[in-house]
Amino acid sequence: MKGKKWMAYLISFLPLISIVWAPSSSWAGKAPYKIGVNLELTGPWAEVTKTVKRAMVMEMERINAMGGVDGHPLELVIEDNGFDLVRAAANMTKFARDKEIIVVVGPFEDNLQATTRAIAEREEITNIIICPSNPMLRALKQRWSWNIAHNDIVVSQKLVDLCSARGYRKVLVFHAAHPLAQSLAEYFKQFGEEKGIKVIVSKETHKPTDIDMTPQLIKLKPIMEREKVDAFYACTSGPPGPIVCKNMRTLGIKIPIIATHAFGFHFIIDLGGEAMEGVEFGAGKTVVPYQLDENDPLRPIVIDFDKRMMTHYRTGADQISGLAHDTVWLLSDALRRCRAKVTRVNLRDALENTKGFKGCMGIYTYSPTDHDGLTKSDLVFIRIEGGKFKRIKFPGYE
Amino acid sequence: MTPWAHIPQLAFSGITMGAIYALVGLGFVTIARASQIINFAQGEFVMLGGMITFFLLKGVGLPYPLAALLAVLLVVIIGFLVHIMVVYPLRKASVPILLIATLGASIFISNTTALVFGTLPKALPAFWGNQPLQIRGIFVTPQSLFVLGATFLLLISLYLLSHRTVTGKAMEASSTDPLGADLSGISRNLMAFLAFGVSAGMGAIAGIFITPIFYTSYHAGTLVGLKGFIAAVLGGWGKNSGAILGGLVLGTVESLSVAFIPSGYKDAVAFVILLLILNFRPKGILGSPFIDSRRW
């Protein structure tokens, strides 16, 4: 009787066992390249990091279906750091000590990045950061960490172009009190003044957690009227963006608003509603996949990616998923190029030799001294119109 | 331009914020008056009000008034559940233990919300009209007038509840004199149960009214709850009128402070005011029924 029960168990488990075994058997024994992913899958960024994870998994599966990298499949080892510094550092150390893992992607949040970058430097493992880079960290010129996103310099240059094209002569900057926004404001002032634009950086700031910016704007309103500024630069990211726009219109301030690339997400329009109409900014090409030029080399990549996201997850591409897409493809490209032997050092050198790699956020070129791959030509001008992102073009400025 | 020129507009914006703090503070006070419990899940009721309305409006596609009404009902049920599952089993425990239990409930609610509705912030459309009205140079949104109106109406209905109905009086009695209440045949557990419902409902109404002005997300309840608690303590812990006054003082001072000091210190102002008032007048502006005034 007992024996029969055993058999029944075994038979019922057999299909399960074969399912588990199937993928590895089809790879003819070539060891997978393991990529550690250290993300804030729980906590305030959960929804954003979910997009990153989805896009990375989708692209990994696609690369593997196409035969992997020289026959080696890619494998993502995903760990949640729960928006917690200690766990992020622990994940990073764990990945670094695991000899099979050749590169770590993430985390997202500024101070978590700072820690993992330091660990990456010590343990000599490549650390790829998806979120916009922190200028202070970038200044350290770390050899093992990489920025995928457009940095503050590039975004500021693009925005100065927007002002020149629109003929704005005076711009008031209202920035958030965190390093990235501060640096965006400073670069905007520097590049703007080179082009003869008068840039007033407001002494009033706001915190990323502020839910009402009315008091600050009441104080800024007379300055805007007295100085007759042509545009107002909402130099911020996340929910404060739409809040600033709403509060501005509530106070009856009608001057044009320009903004950062962080406004290029649909939830921003949902939050701001009508107040977002007419806001202009420069953002990555995945914001407007179908409005790119016919001869744009990135257009087929972006549209293809957007369609795949649509069929897999029923949401189109955005800037975050675009960056995740580019991370996976950049890595597979670099892995392919370190043919001799894939080691952590070889991978880093191969990444540093990336020249003119076409992703969907732009054309990446890295070098040993430059770990920011993108330039201002990888951004497009966007205007919010009718609750949608509309690409705008200016002759001479693209 | 002198700072004084901004005062009227800043004051109005402060009063709007103050009314919001007051609404949240009222929720704290309602439960405290019935059971002496400080319910730290109060902020979550506010968040849930906005969140559930958003879901019913955008996800299910109900008309706005129906979605709002249903959301209030659902949050009231959640309030009852918090009492049944968290507070009632601990009815014999001391007040600090209950306080920690409600804190646990608050974390549970906010994380469940993140799981169910996602972590992206959400905003509701304004009830009526987006265009600001200009009154003597002050810009006013219709929505902030709604918030002020709601605060006023809720205060009146709370007053009627606690002074004109037997249930309301019984609720208050069970906190001010537990033994007396027991002897008069009042079920104190039932009163605490009802108080959780009333306060959850008020929190939900506050959430629905303020979400069109700001936005809501799964962790929005914490800060709103904290400010509401400060308002209630500031005005006089345990008094409805105290919560309203405390909220208005807090909101106005916070807003006006921006005219004179850099806005980065705005949040600190609330706490400085609280410390000052509690140092010189520990029972709050209007005095607290829970603090024996002879001792001060």
Side-chain angles (χ1 to χ4, degrees), chain A residues 43-44 47 204-205 207 211-212 216 218-219 221-222 246 250-251 274, chain B residues 6 9 118-120 130 132 139 141 212 214-215 218 258 263 266-267:
Chain A
E47 217 148 319
E204 302 300 320
T205 57
K207 287 184 210 135
I211 54 169
D212 182 27
Q216 287 98 312
I218 291 171
K219 223 171 151 184
K221 193 181 174 189
K246 264 184 171 178
T250 305
L251 289 173
E274 279 173 40
Chain B
H6 311 309
Q9 181 80 61
T119 54
L120 284 183
N130 260 327
F139 287 89
T141 44
F214 312 113
Y215 61 93
Y218 77 99
V258 174
S263 46
K266 195 173 77 166
D267 284 342

PDB file of all heavy atoms in Angstrom, chain A residues 43-44 47 204-205 207 211-212 216 218-219 221-222 246 250-251 274, chain B residues 6 9 118-120 130 132 139 141 212 214-215 218 258 263 266-267:
ATOM      1  N   GLY A  43       8.231  49.263  -1.576  1.00  0.00           N
ATOM      2  CA  GLY A  43       8.476  50.636  -1.150  1.00  0.00           C
ATOM      3  C   GLY A  43       7.969  51.622  -2.192  1.00  0.00           C
ATOM      4  O   GLY A  43       7.319  51.227  -3.147  1.00  0.00           O
ATOM      5  N   PRO A  44       8.257  52.917  -2.005  1.00  0.00           N
ATOM      6  CA  PRO A  44       7.664  53.957  -2.846  1.00  0.00           C
ATOM      7  C   PRO A  44       7.951  53.800  -4.345  1.00  0.00           C
ATOM      8  O   PRO A  44       7.199  54.284  -5.175  1.00  0.00           O
ATOM      9  CB  PRO A  44       8.286  55.251  -2.329  1.00  0.00           C
ATOM     10  CG  PRO A  44       9.003  54.922  -1.091  1.00  0.00           C
ATOM     11  CD  PRO A  44       9.136  53.452  -0.964  1.00  0.00           C
ATOM     12  N   GLU A  47       6.338  50.582  -8.188  1.00  0.00           N
ATOM     13  CA  GLU A  47       5.714  50.503  -9.503  1.00  0.00           C
ATOM     14  C   GLU A  47       6.715  50.794 -10.619  1.00  0.00           C
ATOM     15  O   GLU A  47       6.673  50.195 -11.684  1.00  0.00           O
ATOM     16  CB  GLU A  47       4.547  51.493  -9.577  1.00  0.00           C
ATOM     17  CG  GLU A  47       3.410  50.948 -10.364  1.00  0.00           C
ATOM     18  CD  GLU A  47       2.084  51.452  -9.831  1.00  0.00           C
ATOM     19  OE1 GLU A  47       1.903  51.528  -8.602  1.00  0.00           O
ATOM     20  OE2 GLU A  47       1.245  51.786 -10.633  1.00  0.00           O
ATOM     21  N   GLU A 204      13.764  80.150  -3.007  1.00  0.00           N
ATOM     22  CA  GLU A 204      12.776  79.229  -2.450  1.00  0.00           C
ATOM     23  C   GLU A 204      12.964  77.868  -3.099  1.00  0.00           C
ATOM     24  O   GLU A 204      13.188  77.764  -4.298  1.00  0.00           O
ATOM     25  CB  GLU A 204      11.363  79.721  -2.755  1.00  0.00           C
ATOM     26  CG  GLU A 204      11.056  81.110  -2.233  1.00  0.00           C
ATOM     27  CD  GLU A 204      11.188  81.207  -0.732  1.00  0.00           C
ATOM     28  OE1 GLU A 204      10.769  80.265  -0.050  1.00  0.00           O
ATOM     29  OE2 GLU A 204      11.714  82.218  -0.255  1.00  0.00           O
ATOM     30  N   THR A 205      12.875  76.827  -2.295  1.00  0.00           N
ATOM     31  CA  THR A 205      12.967  75.481  -2.858  1.00  0.00           C
ATOM     32  C   THR A 205      11.771  74.670  -2.356  1.00  0.00           C
ATOM     33  O   THR A 205      10.927  75.188  -1.626  1.00  0.00           O
ATOM     34  CB  THR A 205      14.255  74.778  -2.396  1.00  0.00           C
ATOM     35  OG1 THR A 205      14.265  74.766  -0.978  1.00  0.00           O
ATOM     36  CG2 THR A 205      15.481  75.484  -2.907  1.00  0.00           C
ATOM     37  N   LYS A 207      10.620  70.415  -1.126  1.00  0.00           N
ATOM     38  CA  LYS A 207      11.104  69.063  -0.858  1.00  0.00           C
ATOM     39  C   LYS A 207      10.327  68.067  -1.705  1.00  0.00           C
ATOM     40  O   LYS A 207       9.182  68.324  -2.051  1.00  0.00           O
ATOM     41  CB  LYS A 207      10.902  68.738   0.626  1.00  0.00           C
ATOM     42  CG  LYS A 207      11.872  69.466   1.505  1.00  0.00           C
ATOM     43  CD  LYS A 207      11.685  69.016   2.931  1.00  0.00           C
ATOM     44  CE  LYS A 207      12.048  70.139   3.858  1.00  0.00           C
ATOM     45  NZ  LYS A 207      11.092  70.325   4.923  1.00  0.00           N
ATOM     46  N   ILE A 211       3.457  68.605  -0.410  1.00  0.00           N
ATOM     47  CA  ILE A 211       2.239  68.376  -1.174  1.00  0.00           C
ATOM     48  C   ILE A 211       1.587  69.700  -1.560  1.00  0.00           C
ATOM     49  O   ILE A 211       0.593  69.708  -2.265  1.00  0.00           O
ATOM     50  CB  ILE A 211       1.224  67.492  -0.411  1.00  0.00           C
ATOM     51  CG1 ILE A 211       0.922  68.067   0.970  1.00  0.00           C
ATOM     52  CG2 ILE A 211       1.733  66.079  -0.287  1.00  0.00           C
ATOM     53  CD1 ILE A 211      -0.251  67.400   1.638  1.00  0.00           C
ATOM     54  N   ASP A 212       2.140  70.810  -1.128  1.00  0.00           N
ATOM     55  CA  ASP A 212       1.556  72.102  -1.480  1.00  0.00           C
ATOM     56  C   ASP A 212       2.679  73.122  -1.638  1.00  0.00           C
ATOM     57  O   ASP A 212       3.404  73.395  -0.693  1.00  0.00           O
ATOM     58  CB  ASP A 212       0.580  72.542  -0.381  1.00  0.00           C
ATOM     59  CG  ASP A 212      -0.096  73.848  -0.729  1.00  0.00           C
ATOM     60  OD1 ASP A 212      -0.223  74.124  -1.938  1.00  0.00           O
ATOM     61  OD2 ASP A 212      -0.490  74.584   0.185  1.00  0.00           O
ATOM     62  N   GLN A 216       5.385  79.025  -1.411  1.00  0.00           N
ATOM     63  CA  GLN A 216       6.601  79.406  -2.126  1.00  0.00           C
ATOM     64  C   GLN A 216       6.250  80.212  -3.375  1.00  0.00           C
ATOM     65  O   GLN A 216       6.886  81.218  -3.686  1.00  0.00           O
ATOM     66  CB  GLN A 216       7.396  78.168  -2.549  1.00  0.00           C
ATOM     67  CG  GLN A 216       8.102  77.463  -1.422  1.00  0.00           C
ATOM     68  CD  GLN A 216       7.314  76.271  -0.923  1.00  0.00           C
ATOM     69  OE1 GLN A 216       6.119  76.383  -0.684  1.00  0.00           O
ATOM     70  NE2 GLN A 216       7.964  75.137  -0.746  1.00  0.00           N
ATOM     71  N   ILE A 218       3.582  81.946  -3.997  1.00  0.00           N
ATOM     72  CA  ILE A 218       3.050  83.277  -3.668  1.00  0.00           C
ATOM     73  C   ILE A 218       4.210  84.246  -3.519  1.00  0.00           C
ATOM     74  O   ILE A 218       4.161  85.396  -3.951  1.00  0.00           O
ATOM     75  CB  ILE A 218       2.219  83.230  -2.370  1.00  0.00           C
ATOM     76  CG1 ILE A 218       0.934  82.444  -2.594  1.00  0.00           C
ATOM     77  CG2 ILE A 218       1.892  84.632  -1.887  1.00  0.00           C
ATOM     78  CD1 ILE A 218       0.164  82.160  -1.323  1.00  0.00           C
ATOM     79  N   LYS A 219       5.282  83.766  -2.932  1.00  0.00           N
ATOM     80  CA  LYS A 219       6.452  84.611  -2.732  1.00  0.00           C
ATOM     81  C   LYS A 219       7.170  84.883  -4.055  1.00  0.00           C
ATOM     82  O   LYS A 219       7.774  85.940  -4.233  1.00  0.00           O
ATOM     83  CB  LYS A 219       7.405  83.909  -1.760  1.00  0.00           C
ATOM     84  CG  LYS A 219       7.987  84.849  -0.722  1.00  0.00           C
ATOM     85  CD  LYS A 219       8.733  84.069   0.317  1.00  0.00           C
ATOM     86  CE  LYS A 219       9.859  84.878   0.903  1.00  0.00           C
ATOM     87  NZ  LYS A 219      10.641  84.077   1.851  1.00  0.00           N
ATOM     88  N   LYS A 221       5.686  84.944  -7.038  1.00  0.00           N
ATOM     89  CA  LYS A 221       4.821  85.608  -8.015  1.00  0.00           C
ATOM     90  C   LYS A 221       5.227  87.067  -8.266  1.00  0.00           C
ATOM     91  O   LYS A 221       5.368  87.468  -9.426  1.00  0.00           O
ATOM     92  CB  LYS A 221       3.369  85.520  -7.549  1.00  0.00           C
ATOM     93  CG  LYS A 221       2.374  85.891  -8.611  1.00  0.00           C
ATOM     94  CD  LYS A 221       0.959  85.797  -8.062  1.00  0.00           C
ATOM     95  CE  LYS A 221      -0.022  86.320  -9.098  1.00  0.00           C
ATOM     96  NZ  LYS A 221      -1.362  86.458  -8.544  1.00  0.00           N
ATOM     97  N   PRO A 222       5.425  87.879  -7.211  1.00  0.00           N
ATOM     98  CA  PRO A 222       5.834  89.262  -7.475  1.00  0.00           C
ATOM     99  C   PRO A 222       7.167  89.359  -8.208  1.00  0.00           C
ATOM    100  O   PRO A 222       7.357  90.269  -9.033  1.00  0.00           O
ATOM    101  CB  PRO A 222       5.948  89.888  -6.084  1.00  0.00           C
ATOM    102  CG  PRO A 222       5.637  88.858  -5.101  1.00  0.00           C
ATOM    103  CD  PRO A 222       5.187  87.621  -5.794  1.00  0.00           C
ATOM    104  N   LYS A 246      -0.079  72.837 -10.973  1.00  0.00           N
ATOM    105  CA  LYS A 246      -1.436  73.096 -10.477  1.00  0.00           C
ATOM    106  C   LYS A 246      -1.460  74.373  -9.642  1.00  0.00           C
ATOM    107  O   LYS A 246      -2.313  75.232  -9.830  1.00  0.00           O
ATOM    108  CB  LYS A 246      -1.875  71.937  -9.581  1.00  0.00           C
ATOM    109  CG  LYS A 246      -2.697  70.871 -10.231  1.00  0.00           C
ATOM    110  CD  LYS A 246      -3.094  69.907  -9.120  1.00  0.00           C
ATOM    111  CE  LYS A 246      -4.080  68.880  -9.517  1.00  0.00           C
ATOM    112  NZ  LYS A 246      -4.365  67.958  -8.412  1.00  0.00           N
ATOM    113  N   THR A 250      -3.475  77.863 -10.217  1.00  0.00           N
ATOM    114  CA  THR A 250      -4.427  78.276  -9.186  1.00  0.00           C
ATOM    115  C   THR A 250      -4.194  79.718  -8.775  1.00  0.00           C
ATOM    116  O   THR A 250      -5.112  80.459  -8.469  1.00  0.00           O
ATOM    117  CB  THR A 250      -4.285  77.369  -7.952  1.00  0.00           C
ATOM    118  OG1 THR A 250      -4.438  76.036  -8.367  1.00  0.00           O
ATOM    119  CG2 THR A 250      -5.321  77.699  -6.913  1.00  0.00           C
ATOM    120  N   LEU A 251      -2.909  80.108  -8.752  1.00  0.00           N
ATOM    121  CA  LEU A 251      -2.587  81.473  -8.349  1.00  0.00           C
ATOM    122  C   LEU A 251      -2.725  82.444  -9.517  1.00  0.00           C
ATOM    123  O   LEU A 251      -2.362  83.610  -9.410  1.00  0.00           O
ATOM    124  CB  LEU A 251      -1.159  81.530  -7.806  1.00  0.00           C
ATOM    125  CG  LEU A 251      -0.954  80.866  -6.447  1.00  0.00           C
ATOM    126  CD1 LEU A 251       0.510  80.822  -6.088  1.00  0.00           C
ATOM    127  CD2 LEU A 251      -1.735  81.610  -5.384  1.00  0.00           C
ATOM    128  N   GLU A 274      -5.529  69.353 -16.233  1.00  0.00           N
ATOM    129  CA  GLU A 274      -5.516  70.506 -17.138  1.00  0.00           C
ATOM    130  C   GLU A 274      -4.310  71.409 -16.934  1.00  0.00           C
ATOM    131  O   GLU A 274      -3.856  72.066 -17.863  1.00  0.00           O
ATOM    132  CB  GLU A 274      -6.774  71.351 -16.909  1.00  0.00           C
ATOM    133  CG  GLU A 274      -7.999  70.820 -17.608  1.00  0.00           C
ATOM    134  CD  GLU A 274      -9.228  71.614 -17.196  1.00  0.00           C
ATOM    135  OE1 GLU A 274      -9.105  72.853 -17.081  1.00  0.00           O
ATOM    136  OE2 GLU A 274     -10.280  70.994 -16.975  1.00  0.00           O
TER     137      GLU A 274
ATOM    138  N   HIS B   6       2.299  89.762   0.767  1.00  0.00           N
ATOM    139  CA  HIS B   6       1.852  88.400   0.452  1.00  0.00           C
ATOM    140  C   HIS B   6       0.821  87.895   1.439  1.00  0.00           C
ATOM    141  O   HIS B   6       0.203  86.864   1.211  1.00  0.00           O
ATOM    142  CB  HIS B   6       3.026  87.408   0.516  1.00  0.00           C
ATOM    143  CG  HIS B   6       4.229  87.834  -0.232  1.00  0.00           C
ATOM    144  ND1 HIS B   6       4.172  88.248  -1.529  1.00  0.00           N
ATOM    145  CD2 HIS B   6       5.531  87.901   0.127  1.00  0.00           C
ATOM    146  CE1 HIS B   6       5.386  88.554  -1.941  1.00  0.00           C
ATOM    147  NE2 HIS B   6       6.223  88.364  -0.955  1.00  0.00           N
ATOM    148  N   GLN B   9      -2.926  86.391   0.581  1.00  0.00           N
ATOM    149  CA  GLN B   9      -2.925  85.150  -0.188  1.00  0.00           C
ATOM    150  C   GLN B   9      -2.354  83.990   0.630  1.00  0.00           C
ATOM    151  O   GLN B   9      -2.895  82.895   0.633  1.00  0.00           O
ATOM    152  CB  GLN B   9      -2.111  85.354  -1.475  1.00  0.00           C
ATOM    153  CG  GLN B   9      -2.056  84.134  -2.364  1.00  0.00           C
ATOM    154  CD  GLN B   9      -3.306  83.948  -3.208  1.00  0.00           C
ATOM    155  OE1 GLN B   9      -3.658  84.786  -4.026  1.00  0.00           O
ATOM    156  NE2 GLN B   9      -3.999  82.834  -2.997  1.00  0.00           N
ATOM    157  N   GLY B 118      -1.232  49.786  -6.146  1.00  0.00           N
ATOM    158  CA  GLY B 118       0.022  50.232  -6.739  1.00  0.00           C
ATOM    159  C   GLY B 118       0.609  51.414  -5.988  1.00  0.00           C
ATOM    160  O   GLY B 118      -0.047  52.020  -5.144  1.00  0.00           O
ATOM    161  N   THR B 119       1.858  51.741  -6.314  1.00  0.00           N
ATOM    162  CA  THR B 119       2.550  52.761  -5.521  1.00  0.00           C
ATOM    163  C   THR B 119       2.577  54.122  -6.196  1.00  0.00           C
ATOM    164  O   THR B 119       3.049  55.084  -5.606  1.00  0.00           O
ATOM    165  CB  THR B 119       3.992  52.334  -5.245  1.00  0.00           C
ATOM    166  OG1 THR B 119       4.616  52.039  -6.494  1.00  0.00           O
ATOM    167  CG2 THR B 119       4.053  51.122  -4.358  1.00  0.00           C
ATOM    168  N   LEU B 120       2.100  54.222  -7.434  1.00  0.00           N
ATOM    169  CA  LEU B 120       2.138  55.537  -8.084  1.00  0.00           C
ATOM    170  C   LEU B 120       1.110  56.458  -7.444  1.00  0.00           C
ATOM    171  O   LEU B 120       0.024  56.020  -7.072  1.00  0.00           O
ATOM    172  CB  LEU B 120       1.837  55.404  -9.577  1.00  0.00           C
ATOM    173  CG  LEU B 120       2.960  54.867 -10.441  1.00  0.00           C
ATOM    174  CD1 LEU B 120       2.529  54.860 -11.898  1.00  0.00           C
ATOM    175  CD2 LEU B 120       4.222  55.691 -10.278  1.00  0.00           C
ATOM    176  N   ASN B 130     -12.227  74.215 -12.428  1.00  0.00           N
ATOM    177  CA  ASN B 130     -10.795  74.247 -12.164  1.00  0.00           C
ATOM    178  C   ASN B 130     -10.269  75.668 -12.109  1.00  0.00           C
ATOM    179  O   ASN B 130      -9.199  75.924 -11.606  1.00  0.00           O
ATOM    180  CB  ASN B 130     -10.057  73.502 -13.274  1.00  0.00           C
ATOM    181  CG  ASN B 130      -9.698  72.107 -12.833  1.00  0.00           C
ATOM    182  OD1 ASN B 130      -9.425  71.890 -11.659  1.00  0.00           O
ATOM    183  ND2 ASN B 130      -9.711  71.172 -13.756  1.00  0.00           N
ATOM    184  N   PRO B 132      -9.489  79.300 -11.075  1.00  0.00           N
ATOM    185  CA  PRO B 132      -9.480  80.012  -9.800  1.00  0.00           C
ATOM    186  C   PRO B 132     -10.378  81.246  -9.863  1.00  0.00           C
ATOM    187  O   PRO B 132     -10.514  81.879 -10.908  1.00  0.00           O
ATOM    188  CB  PRO B 132      -8.017  80.404  -9.637  1.00  0.00           C
ATOM    189  CG  PRO B 132      -7.444  80.388 -11.011  1.00  0.00           C
ATOM    190  CD  PRO B 132      -8.207  79.352 -11.761  1.00  0.00           C
ATOM    191  N   PHE B 139      -6.417  84.753  -5.130  1.00  0.00           N
ATOM    192  CA  PHE B 139      -6.891  83.674  -5.991  1.00  0.00           C
ATOM    193  C   PHE B 139      -7.366  82.513  -5.123  1.00  0.00           C
ATOM    194  O   PHE B 139      -6.658  82.060  -4.237  1.00  0.00           O
ATOM    195  CB  PHE B 139      -5.785  83.218  -6.930  1.00  0.00           C
ATOM    196  CG  PHE B 139      -5.509  84.207  -8.012  1.00  0.00           C
ATOM    197  CD1 PHE B 139      -4.572  85.224  -7.827  1.00  0.00           C
ATOM    198  CD2 PHE B 139      -6.197  84.154  -9.211  1.00  0.00           C
ATOM    199  CE1 PHE B 139      -4.328  86.155  -8.823  1.00  0.00           C
ATOM    200  CE2 PHE B 139      -5.958  85.076 -10.204  1.00  0.00           C
ATOM    201  CZ  PHE B 139      -5.027  86.078 -10.013  1.00  0.00           C
ATOM    202  N   THR B 141      -9.393  78.655  -5.257  1.00  0.00           N
ATOM    203  CA  THR B 141      -9.988  77.592  -6.083  1.00  0.00           C
ATOM    204  C   THR B 141     -11.291  77.163  -5.453  1.00  0.00           C
ATOM    205  O   THR B 141     -11.428  77.147  -4.225  1.00  0.00           O
ATOM    206  CB  THR B 141      -9.100  76.335  -6.161  1.00  0.00           C
ATOM    207  OG1 THR B 141      -8.610  76.055  -4.872  1.00  0.00           O
ATOM    208  CG2 THR B 141      -7.978  76.501  -7.131  1.00  0.00           C
ATOM    209  N   PRO B 212      -8.392  66.097  -4.654  1.00  0.00           N
ATOM    210  CA  PRO B 212      -8.325  66.923  -5.865  1.00  0.00           C
ATOM    211  C   PRO B 212      -7.318  68.073  -5.755  1.00  0.00           C
ATOM    212  O   PRO B 212      -6.789  68.525  -6.767  1.00  0.00           O
ATOM    213  CB  PRO B 212      -9.746  67.467  -5.991  1.00  0.00           C
ATOM    214  CG  PRO B 212     -10.585  66.498  -5.266  1.00  0.00           C
ATOM    215  CD  PRO B 212      -9.749  66.007  -4.129  1.00  0.00           C
ATOM    216  N   PHE B 214      -4.394  68.090  -3.785  1.00  0.00           N
ATOM    217  CA  PHE B 214      -3.041  67.544  -3.775  1.00  0.00           C
ATOM    218  C   PHE B 214      -3.052  66.256  -4.588  1.00  0.00           C
ATOM    219  O   PHE B 214      -3.462  66.248  -5.723  1.00  0.00           O
ATOM    220  CB  PHE B 214      -2.585  67.301  -2.341  1.00  0.00           C
ATOM    221  CG  PHE B 214      -2.836  68.486  -1.467  1.00  0.00           C
ATOM    222  CD1 PHE B 214      -3.764  68.446  -0.445  1.00  0.00           C
ATOM    223  CD2 PHE B 214      -2.162  69.676  -1.692  1.00  0.00           C
ATOM    224  CE1 PHE B 214      -4.002  69.549   0.343  1.00  0.00           C
ATOM    225  CE2 PHE B 214      -2.406  70.775  -0.909  1.00  0.00           C
ATOM    226  CZ  PHE B 214      -3.328  70.710   0.112  1.00  0.00           C
ATOM    227  N   TYR B 215      -2.605  65.197  -3.994  1.00  0.00           N
ATOM    228  CA  TYR B 215      -2.689  63.891  -4.615  1.00  0.00           C
ATOM    229  C   TYR B 215      -2.629  62.908  -3.462  1.00  0.00           C
ATOM    230  O   TYR B 215      -2.403  63.301  -2.326  1.00  0.00           O
ATOM    231  CB  TYR B 215      -1.525  63.645  -5.581  1.00  0.00           C
ATOM    232  CG  TYR B 215      -0.176  63.674  -4.928  1.00  0.00           C
ATOM    233  CD1 TYR B 215       0.412  62.504  -4.469  1.00  0.00           C
ATOM    234  CD2 TYR B 215       0.512  64.865  -4.756  1.00  0.00           C
ATOM    235  CE1 TYR B 215       1.654  62.525  -3.854  1.00  0.00           C
ATOM    236  CE2 TYR B 215       1.751  64.889  -4.146  1.00  0.00           C
ATOM    237  CZ  TYR B 215       2.318  63.714  -3.698  1.00  0.00           C
ATOM    238  OH  TYR B 215       3.539  63.732  -3.084  1.00  0.00           O
ATOM    239  N   TYR B 218      -0.001  55.622  -1.377  1.00  0.00           N
ATOM    240  CA  TYR B 218      -0.200  54.693  -0.268  1.00  0.00           C
ATOM    241  C   TYR B 218       0.464  55.165   1.029  1.00  0.00           C
ATOM    242  O   TYR B 218       0.043  54.797   2.098  1.00  0.00           O
ATOM    243  CB  TYR B 218       0.301  53.300  -0.652  1.00  0.00           C
ATOM    244  CG  TYR B 218       1.797  53.138  -0.605  1.00  0.00           C
ATOM    245  CD1 TYR B 218       2.405  52.538   0.484  1.00  0.00           C
ATOM    246  CD2 TYR B 218       2.594  53.617  -1.625  1.00  0.00           C
ATOM    247  CE1 TYR B 218       3.774  52.403   0.550  1.00  0.00           C
ATOM    248  CE2 TYR B 218       3.957  53.491  -1.576  1.00  0.00           C
ATOM    249  CZ  TYR B 218       4.549  52.884  -0.483  1.00  0.00           C
ATOM    250  OH  TYR B 218       5.902  52.773  -0.422  1.00  0.00           O
ATOM    251  N   VAL B 258       6.422  81.292   5.634  1.00  0.00           N
ATOM    252  CA  VAL B 258       7.178  81.342   4.382  1.00  0.00           C
ATOM    253  C   VAL B 258       7.480  82.783   3.968  1.00  0.00           C
ATOM    254  O   VAL B 258       8.494  83.064   3.333  1.00  0.00           O
ATOM    255  CB  VAL B 258       6.399  80.594   3.280  1.00  0.00           C
ATOM    256  CG1 VAL B 258       7.071  80.744   1.942  1.00  0.00           C
ATOM    257  CG2 VAL B 258       6.300  79.141   3.651  1.00  0.00           C
ATOM    258  N   SER B 263      11.603  78.791   2.659  1.00  0.00           N
ATOM    259  CA  SER B 263      10.552  77.777   2.719  1.00  0.00           C
ATOM    260  C   SER B 263      11.056  76.398   3.145  1.00  0.00           C
ATOM    261  O   SER B 263      10.266  75.546   3.508  1.00  0.00           O
ATOM    262  CB  SER B 263       9.874  77.671   1.361  1.00  0.00           C
ATOM    263  OG  SER B 263      10.847  77.630   0.353  1.00  0.00           O
ATOM    264  N   LYS B 266       9.776  75.262   6.483  1.00  0.00           N
ATOM    265  CA  LYS B 266       8.331  75.286   6.690  1.00  0.00           C
ATOM    266  C   LYS B 266       7.854  74.173   7.634  1.00  0.00           C
ATOM    267  O   LYS B 266       7.070  74.410   8.541  1.00  0.00           O
ATOM    268  CB  LYS B 266       7.637  75.161   5.331  1.00  0.00           C
ATOM    269  CG  LYS B 266       6.190  75.529   5.347  1.00  0.00           C
ATOM    270  CD  LYS B 266       5.631  75.533   3.950  1.00  0.00           C
ATOM    271  CE  LYS B 266       5.367  74.131   3.462  1.00  0.00           C
ATOM    272  NZ  LYS B 266       4.546  74.067   2.263  1.00  0.00           N
ATOM    273  N   ASP B 267       8.337  72.957   7.404  1.00  0.00           N
ATOM    274  CA  ASP B 267       7.860  71.833   8.209  1.00  0.00           C
ATOM    275  C   ASP B 267       8.313  71.928   9.657  1.00  0.00           C
ATOM    276  O   ASP B 267       7.610  71.512  10.569  1.00  0.00           O
ATOM    277  CB  ASP B 267       8.337  70.508   7.612  1.00  0.00           C
ATOM    278  CG  ASP B 267       7.525  70.133   6.391  1.00  0.00           C
ATOM    279  OD1 ASP B 267       6.426  70.701   6.241  1.00  0.00           O
ATOM    280  OD2 ASP B 267       7.995  69.310   5.602  1.00  0.00           O
TER     281      ASP B 267
END
